[in-house]
Structures are given as C-alpha cells and as structure tokens.
C-alpha cells in the first residue's frame, strides 16, 4: 500500500529523506553527472521510492530535488551573510553531504541561479514550479542542466535581472567562468526560465502584498462602517426615547385627574384660548376611558404635551356630546356614567360582546363597518353572522373580527342562537340584503333575542324587514331603530298607512316611535332626531361633509356597544 497516495505535491520529511537517500547514492549522482538527459535517472528514483511505499512520479522527484537544491544554495548564501541558513533549509546537512561531492562547476552554477534570482522556494511552492516546468519542458527532460553541454553556437552575454535592473554578466562572473562552453541553445533557455520564475514569484509576492493591503483596507472600512452603524443606532435609540418620553407626557396629561370636575360640560369647555385660565377636562365615565375613546381623543388634535391634550380632550367631548341643546347636554353626565371603567378586575368580553346580523354576497363592507366600530368604541369582542360567501371577505378585512358563515345555512337560527347567551347586544341589518330566506332568519333571531332581553339595534335591511313586519320589534323596550330618511319614510308609511308629512320630521318621528310601542327611534339626517315618543333629543352637531355609504353602519355598530353599556348600568346611573 502506498503511504502517500493522496498527498499531492507536498512532501513529508520521511519521503524527502527517502528521496535524498536514493538521490544521494553514488550511482545516481554519477548517472546525473554524466547525462544531460536524466529522465531515466528520475524514473529509477521514483521506482525505488515506490518500493519504499512512496508514490511519486519522476517529475515530482526531479522537482523536489531541484527545490531542495535551491533551498540549500539559498541557505548557504544566507549562512555566509548572517548564519541563518538552518532556518532556510531543513535538509541542509543531507544536501551538503551529497553536493559536496558534486563538481564545483555545478554548485557554482546553481548558486548563481539561487542567489542571483532571488528565489525563495519551499515545499509549498512546488506546485507553482511544476506548472512552470510543464510550460518549459514537456519531455520529462531536466530543464535545469545538471551538466553543461557543448553546442555549435558561440556564447554571448545574457542579460540577467538583479533587483529589477537588467545587467550583463561580466567575464568574471562564475557563470561565464565555470561554463565556458555554454551554448546559445542552453543559455537562453535557462535565462528564460529564470525570468519566468522570477516574474511569476514576484507577481505572486506582489499579489499577496496587494491582497493583504486589500484585506487591511476592507477591515478598516468595515470598522468604520460598524462605528457609523453604532452611532446611527444610538441616535435612533435616543430619538425613540424622546418619543417615548413625549408619549409618557401625553398619557400623563390624559390620566391626570381633573382639578375641578364640572358636572355638565358647558360651552366653557370648548378649548380655552386664554392661557391664564388652565383648561379643565370634564370627567368622562369614572376618568378611566376605554382605549378607543382615549385613542380617538389623542388623535383629535395635534400631538403635544399634557396641556394641549386637555384642550383636545375637552374639544372631543364638546364635539361629540355637547350637542347644542340643553336637553342633550343633560344627557352627557348620564352617558359618562354608563361607560365602564378600565380595570384589571375584568376579563375579556365583559365590556361587550356584540353580534352583527348581516353580510351577504353583495354587501360585505356594511357588517364590517358596524363590527369594527363596535370594537373601536370599546367592545371586547365583535361577532359577524353572515352568509357563507361573505365570510372570507369580511374575515380578510380584519383579524379582530369573529366571523360566522352561517346566515344562509339551513339551520342558521339554531347556529346563531347558540351564541345568543354570550352576546350583550345585537345589530341587525347592515349588509343583510333583502332575500326572503335571510330576512326570515333575521326575524327569527330577533324574536329569540327579545326573549333573552338582548338590546337590538335595527338598521338598513333590518328596517326593510320591520317595515314589512313591524311586530317583529314593536313594543320591545330594548329595541332601537336607526333609519335614514328613506327608511324612515318606509316605516312611517307602513305603520300609518298614509304618506309622510315631510315638513315636520320631529313630529313624524315621535308619531312613529309611539306607533312602534315607544321603542327608541334615531332618525338620521342633517339634524338627528332621537325619540321614544315621550322624550326627544336632537343632534345638529356637524359631522362629515361627505355623505358616503357606511356612515350609518358606523353609527349602528357604535350604538350596539352604547346600548349594552346603558342597559347594563344601574337605573340611577341613567336615571331609568
Ligand atoms: N359598503 C357596503 O357594503 C355598504 C352597504 N350598505 C348596505 O346596502 C344595503 C342597502 O342600503 P341602502 O341604504 O343603500 O338601501 P335603500 O334603503 O334602498 O336606500 C337606497 C335609496 O334610498 C335613498 N336614500 C338613501 N338615503 C336617503 C336620504 N337620507 N334621503 C333621501 N333618500 C335617501 C336613495 O335614493 P336615490 O339617491 O336613489 O334617490 C337610494 O336609492 C344595506 O344592507 C346597507 O347596509 C350600505 O350600508 C352602504 C355601504
Ligand atoms: N344631511 C346630513 N348632514 C349632516 N349629517 C348627516 C346628514 N345625513 C346623515 N348625516 C349623518 O350621517 C350619519 C349616517 O347617516 P346616513 O343617512 O348616511 O345613514 P345610512 O344611509 O343608513 O348609512 P349607510 O350608508 O351606512 O347605510 C348619521 O349619523 C347622520 O347624523
């Protein structure tokens, strides 16, 4: 078995010693001395190495020997200068023993190559050398003469490069002196090879130098980049801290208890313009707002420190609840009383589980608007019971919604009824459509919800159903109808069997509320009219100038939450 079958061009010390033992033998040296063509000698050396278990080609042996010779002569030259030869040639002693028997001519010749050419070969460089050899000589012949050969061409001075400068060897040079019969065929070859060796090695050296330089540059730049990144991160961090501090101030401003709470928001709670009079924030609920309302308040005016927030908060209350009539203003404290406090003592769902009955193939937006506004106002959970094909669409609008694709299923009522015990209020109609089967299911669900005392807000197509069958909700005190003018007209005419007198909306609204059994009617319009037939509130607060679809859905969804809060509050909180 071969010891070094996979070792490639690297020679182990053991291999090298075996090689030197063979190569140093007298017979081998004689054969090399006496023959210009020495490939057969190295073939023999390789064979004998193989017998010892080292698999080397004749070329590898020749190149190895050559490399050793070069190291030896470099070391010899080095030792002449500073005595450091032993570091340069591991096999110096072996080489010395062998080569001291060789002719002075050869040693001087090689010496001149090694030293003058500034070559520093080691074992690792042999692959490079072998490549060069392949270019120089494909015959297996020794391209480096072991023995000078006479030729017919006259000798001529060959330029050699020393330290990057060309010069001509002088007559005194050992090369010329020791090789008088040097031929033109051998000399140029050797010189060419020396130049090739030199330039390649120098190129490699240069390449290595430049690689190291490039590497240095890379690390320097990388360090600069990392430093810049650190700096940027620090700046970002301090910016974030600043933002957090500002937010902290804002929330502190919102939460700070009002120094002199007002019982009723008066026009004076409109943002104070006199900086001498500190603005007060009217109490809202018990001062602990649902997140959506707080969020809304904080967004309703430009971000700023606590003082500005107080003003914005006041403005929010004013815009939303101080609605221009004394009667309406009196409602504000009652409304505040119904809003549940934010507390860690409750669990998910207790502040409102709202159900929306609506959502069909045509209308997926309406139930979404209603359901999401319920959450934004402060409900904990919002369920949508819709048709099968509307469900994926509504689900994809928001992951916050719980969507049940049951409204058009054969057992829709039973499916939905299972949820009724868990629902605090029901909004029937947004996007329901007017298909008989869906209206029938909606009607049945209203009936079952009434049995449970669940507050029911009826809007949009739910009102279409009521117009057809008023009894479905008539007289139910926890029912709220939210018609737009068209829906109102339909309802009115269905109940009164006569055309609506459109000159007096308040009166018509009151009449309809009475006819419906004193449930709550919210007639939407430029002025909203809210009545149960006994009491009436109006809201002329200007909302959006746009009359786009969906605004009524937002209202019905929000009312679902407020209705739950109001009906679940103690009677004295809402004065009945
Ligand atoms: N994105 C969605 O999914 C949305 C879905 N939606 C859902 O659509 C379904 C149908 O609801 P709907 O209100 O469009 O139907 P409907 O009762 O026939 O009334 C339409 C007719 O009434 C009239 N009209 C309306 N208001 C009036 C007024 N104030 N004063 C006077 N006239 C007025 C108006 O007459 P016109 O302008 O044509 O003269 C119009 O032709 C329902 O399920 C709803 O939830 C919507 O919520 C929108 C967003
Ligand atoms: N002419 C108006 N001027 C000012 N506000 C209005 C006017 N008409 C309606 N509003 C307000 O818009 C809100 C929605 O009313 P709208 O009549 O658009 O309901 P809707 O038709 O049921 O809506 P939706 O498109 O959701 O079905 C109500 O809160 C109402 O106060």
């Amino acid at each position: 078995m071969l010891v070094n079958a996979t070792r490639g061009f690297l020679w182990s010390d053991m291999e090298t010693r075996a090689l030197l033992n063979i190569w140093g033998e007298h017979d081998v040296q004689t054969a090399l001395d006496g023959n210009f063509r020495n490939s057969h000698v190295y073939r023999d050396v390789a064979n004998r190495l193989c017998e010892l278990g080292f698999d080397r080609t004749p070329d590898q042996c020749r190149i190895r020997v050559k490399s050793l010779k070069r190291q030896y002569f470099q070391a010899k030259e080095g030792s002449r200068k500073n005595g450091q030869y032993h570091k340069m040639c591991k096999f110096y002693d072996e080489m010395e023993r062998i080569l001291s028997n060789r002719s002075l001519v050869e040693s001087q010749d090689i010496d001149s190559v090694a030293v003058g050419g500034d070559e520093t070969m080691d074992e690792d460089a042999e692959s490079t050398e072998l490549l060069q050899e392949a270019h120089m000589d494909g015959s297996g012949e020794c391209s480096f003469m072991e023995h000078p050969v006479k030729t017919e061409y006259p000798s001529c001075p060959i330029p050699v490069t020393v330290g990057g400068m060309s010069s001509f060897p002088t007559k005194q040079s050992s090369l010329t002196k020791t090789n008088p019969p040097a031929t033109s065929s051998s000399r140029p070859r050797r010189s060419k090879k020396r130049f090739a060796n030199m330039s390649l090695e120098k190129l490699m050296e240069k390449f290595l130098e430049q690689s190291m330089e490039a590497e240095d540059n890379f690390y320097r730049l990388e360090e600069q980049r990392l430093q810049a990144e650190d700096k940027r991160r620090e700046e970002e961090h301090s910016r974030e801290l600043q933002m957090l501090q500002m937010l902290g101030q804002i929330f502190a401003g919102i939460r700070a208890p009002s120094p002199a709470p007002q019982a009723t928001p008066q026009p004076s709670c409109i943002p104070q313009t006199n900086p001498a009079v500190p603005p007060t924030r009217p109490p809202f609920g018990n001062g602990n707002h649902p997140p959506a309302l707080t969020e809304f308040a904080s967004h309703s005016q430009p971000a700023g420190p606590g003082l500005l927030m107080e003003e914005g908060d006041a403005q929010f209350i004013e815009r939303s609840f101080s609605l221009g009539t004394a009667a309406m203003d009196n409602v504000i404290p009652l409304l505040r009383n119904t809003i549940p406090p934010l507390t860690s003592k409750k669990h998910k769902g207790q502040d409102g589980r709202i159900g929306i009955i609506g959502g069909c193939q045509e209308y997926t937006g309406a139930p979404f608007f209603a359901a999401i506004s319920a959450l934004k106002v402060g409900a904990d959970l919002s369920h949508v019971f819709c048709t099968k094909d509307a469900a994926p669409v509504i689900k994809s609008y928001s992951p916050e919604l719980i969507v049940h694709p049951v409204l058009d299923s054969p057992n829709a009522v039973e499916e939905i009824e299972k949820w009724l015990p868990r629902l605090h209020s029901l909004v029937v109609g947004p996007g329901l459509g007017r298909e008989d089967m869906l209206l029938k299911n909606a009607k049945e669900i209203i009936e079952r919800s009434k049995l449970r005392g669940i507050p029911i807000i009826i809007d949009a197509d739910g009102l279409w159903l009521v117009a057809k069958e008023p009894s479905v909700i008539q007289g139910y005190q926890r029912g709220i109808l939210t018609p737009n003018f068209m829906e109102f007209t339909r309802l009115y005419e269905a109940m009164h069997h006569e055309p609506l007198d459109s000159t007096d909306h308040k009166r018509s609204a009151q009449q309809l509320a009475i006819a419906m059994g004193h449930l709550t009617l919210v007639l939407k319009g430029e002025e909203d009219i809210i009545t149960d037939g006994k009491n009436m509130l109006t809201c002329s607060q200007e909302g959006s100038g746009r009359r786009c679809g969906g605004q009524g859905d937002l209202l019905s969804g929000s009312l679902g939450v407020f209705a739950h809060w109001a009906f679940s509050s103690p009677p004295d909180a809402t004065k009945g």
Side-chain angles (χ1 to χ4, degrees), residues 155-166:
S155 75
C156 61
I158 305 297
V160 282
T161 305
V162 179
M165 291 177 65
S166 285

PDB file of all heavy atoms in Angstrom, residues 155-166:
ATOM      1  N   SER A 155      29.113  31.536 -27.451  1.00  0.00           N
ATOM      2  CA  SER A 155      28.489  32.100 -26.247  1.00  0.00           C
ATOM      3  C   SER A 155      28.356  33.609 -26.389  1.00  0.00           C
ATOM      4  O   SER A 155      29.148  34.256 -27.034  1.00  0.00           O
ATOM      5  CB  SER A 155      29.328  31.767 -25.008  1.00  0.00           C
ATOM      6  OG  SER A 155      30.456  32.582 -24.999  1.00  0.00           O
ATOM      7  N   CYS A 156      27.351  34.121 -25.790  1.00  0.00           N
ATOM      8  CA  CYS A 156      27.159  35.568 -25.812  1.00  0.00           C
ATOM      9  C   CYS A 156      26.615  35.994 -24.449  1.00  0.00           C
ATOM     10  O   CYS A 156      26.008  35.196 -23.747  1.00  0.00           O
ATOM     11  CB  CYS A 156      26.206  35.985 -26.912  1.00  0.00           C
ATOM     12  SG  CYS A 156      24.585  35.288 -26.705  1.00  0.00           S
ATOM     13  N   PRO A 157      26.886  37.240 -24.056  1.00  0.00           N
ATOM     14  CA  PRO A 157      26.418  37.676 -22.739  1.00  0.00           C
ATOM     15  C   PRO A 157      24.884  37.697 -22.678  1.00  0.00           C
ATOM     16  O   PRO A 157      24.233  38.199 -23.580  1.00  0.00           O
ATOM     17  CB  PRO A 157      26.986  39.086 -22.590  1.00  0.00           C
ATOM     18  CG  PRO A 157      27.384  39.520 -23.953  1.00  0.00           C
ATOM     19  CD  PRO A 157      27.531  38.320 -24.818  1.00  0.00           C
ATOM     20  N   ILE A 158      24.363  37.105 -21.613  1.00  0.00           N
ATOM     21  CA  ILE A 158      22.902  37.046 -21.444  1.00  0.00           C
ATOM     22  C   ILE A 158      22.489  38.063 -20.383  1.00  0.00           C
ATOM     23  O   ILE A 158      23.071  38.101 -19.309  1.00  0.00           O
ATOM     24  CB  ILE A 158      22.493  35.649 -20.935  1.00  0.00           C
ATOM     25  CG1 ILE A 158      23.028  34.559 -21.866  1.00  0.00           C
ATOM     26  CG2 ILE A 158      20.973  35.519 -20.784  1.00  0.00           C
ATOM     27  CD1 ILE A 158      22.487  34.614 -23.277  1.00  0.00           C
ATOM     28  N   PRO A 159      21.505  38.890 -20.685  1.00  0.00           N
ATOM     29  CA  PRO A 159      21.063  39.844 -19.647  1.00  0.00           C
ATOM     30  C   PRO A 159      20.365  39.123 -18.497  1.00  0.00           C
ATOM     31  O   PRO A 159      19.590  38.218 -18.716  1.00  0.00           O
ATOM     32  CB  PRO A 159      20.076  40.752 -20.390  1.00  0.00           C
ATOM     33  CG  PRO A 159      19.658  39.987 -21.595  1.00  0.00           C
ATOM     34  CD  PRO A 159      20.720  38.986 -21.903  1.00  0.00           C
ATOM     35  N   VAL A 160      20.736  39.490 -17.286  1.00  0.00           N
ATOM     36  CA  VAL A 160      20.051  38.939 -16.110  1.00  0.00           C
ATOM     37  C   VAL A 160      19.481  40.094 -15.291  1.00  0.00           C
ATOM     38  O   VAL A 160      20.061  41.167 -15.253  1.00  0.00           O
ATOM     39  CB  VAL A 160      20.985  38.097 -15.207  1.00  0.00           C
ATOM     40  CG1 VAL A 160      21.224  36.731 -15.784  1.00  0.00           C
ATOM     41  CG2 VAL A 160      22.281  38.831 -14.955  1.00  0.00           C
ATOM     42  N   THR A 161      18.385  39.813 -14.679  1.00  0.00           N
ATOM     43  CA  THR A 161      17.754  40.872 -13.885  1.00  0.00           C
ATOM     44  C   THR A 161      18.141  40.697 -12.437  1.00  0.00           C
ATOM     45  O   THR A 161      17.906  39.651 -11.844  1.00  0.00           O
ATOM     46  CB  THR A 161      16.238  40.795 -14.025  1.00  0.00           C
ATOM     47  OG1 THR A 161      15.948  40.853 -15.418  1.00  0.00           O
ATOM     48  CG2 THR A 161      15.555  41.940 -13.314  1.00  0.00           C
ATOM     49  N   VAL A 162      18.740  41.698 -11.886  1.00  0.00           N
ATOM     50  CA  VAL A 162      19.092  41.662 -10.461  1.00  0.00           C
ATOM     51  C   VAL A 162      18.435  42.868  -9.831  1.00  0.00           C
ATOM     52  O   VAL A 162      18.689  44.002 -10.207  1.00  0.00           O
ATOM     53  CB  VAL A 162      20.620  41.720 -10.258  1.00  0.00           C
ATOM     54  CG1 VAL A 162      20.940  41.710  -8.772  1.00  0.00           C
ATOM     55  CG2 VAL A 162      21.283  40.567 -10.971  1.00  0.00           C
ATOM     56  N   GLY A 163      17.584  42.574  -8.880  1.00  0.00           N
ATOM     57  CA  GLY A 163      16.883  43.680  -8.174  1.00  0.00           C
ATOM     58  C   GLY A 163      16.121  44.540  -9.147  1.00  0.00           C
ATOM     59  O   GLY A 163      16.053  45.745  -9.006  1.00  0.00           O
ATOM     60  N   GLY A 164      15.542  43.930 -10.154  1.00  0.00           N
ATOM     61  CA  GLY A 164      14.671  44.669 -11.055  1.00  0.00           C
ATOM     62  C   GLY A 164      15.437  45.378 -12.152  1.00  0.00           C
ATOM     63  O   GLY A 164      14.869  46.004 -13.039  1.00  0.00           O
ATOM     64  N   MET A 165      16.793  45.330 -12.143  1.00  0.00           N
ATOM     65  CA  MET A 165      17.554  46.038 -13.197  1.00  0.00           C
ATOM     66  C   MET A 165      18.278  45.031 -14.059  1.00  0.00           C
ATOM     67  O   MET A 165      18.843  44.051 -13.582  1.00  0.00           O
ATOM     68  CB  MET A 165      18.581  46.968 -12.550  1.00  0.00           C
ATOM     69  CG  MET A 165      17.923  48.140 -11.826  1.00  0.00           C
ATOM     70  SD  MET A 165      19.160  49.116 -11.029  1.00  0.00           S
ATOM     71  CE  MET A 165      20.087  49.740 -12.400  1.00  0.00           C
ATOM     72  N   SER A 166      18.256  45.287 -15.320  1.00  0.00           N
ATOM     73  CA  SER A 166      18.954  44.382 -16.239  1.00  0.00           C
ATOM     74  C   SER A 166      20.453  44.670 -16.233  1.00  0.00           C
ATOM     75  O   SER A 166      20.875  45.804 -16.150  1.00  0.00           O
ATOM     76  CB  SER A 166      18.438  44.599 -17.663  1.00  0.00           C
ATOM     77  OG  SER A 166      17.188  44.010 -17.770  1.00  0.00           O
TER      78      SER A 166
END
